[in-house]
Amino acid sequence: MMETSEERISASTECLGYDSTVDVLTSLPPPSTSDEVIEVRVKRIRRKPRVSVKLQYPPEENTPDTTIELFSGENLRRAM
């Protein structure tokens, strides 16, 4: 009678952002044999869009224009 056992390694990616999810997936160990099966279940993954905002100050302030990067929907007043 032959007995087989499966070693399962799991990593939770639920509620993580895109970059954190990719970091978790790349941190998993590589397959130990060529016939080892790797199964990945992905529910939903989406990169949050970023926007570049150019801040222009009134000419009388003599302040140079600056550019800031924000996530789409982020509060502009807080970021400034």
Side-chain angles (χ1 to χ4, degrees):
M1 182 171 177
M2 189 172 178
E3 193 173 311
T4 60
S5 64
E6 288 185 7
E7 178 185 357
R8 290 187 181 242
I9 299 172
S10 64
S12 177
T13 59
E14 196 166 338
C15 297
L16 294 180
Y18 178 85
D19 293 326
S20 299
T21 300
V22 171
D23 289 341
V24 169
L25 293 175
T26 56
S27 71
L28 293 172
S32 57
T33 63
S34 62
D35 59 339
E36 187 174 39
V37 175
I38 297 176
E39 182 178 321
V40 177
R41 295 181 190 185
V42 178
K43 292 182 180 179
R44 176 176 50 188
I45 187 167
R46 195 178 108 192
R47 185 182 291 257
K48 285 181 81 173
R50 297 185 86 165
V51 292
S52 292
V53 179
K54 184 176 182 180
L55 300 175
Q56 295 179 325
Y57 297 96
E60 58 270 5
E61 285 189 23
N62 293 328
T63 306
D65 297 343
T66 58
T67 303
I68 58 174
E69 284 197 14
L70 304 170
F71 287 112
S72 180
E74 190 174 349
N75 191 321
L76 179 59
R77 287 187 183 180
R78 267 194 203 140
M80 294 190 325

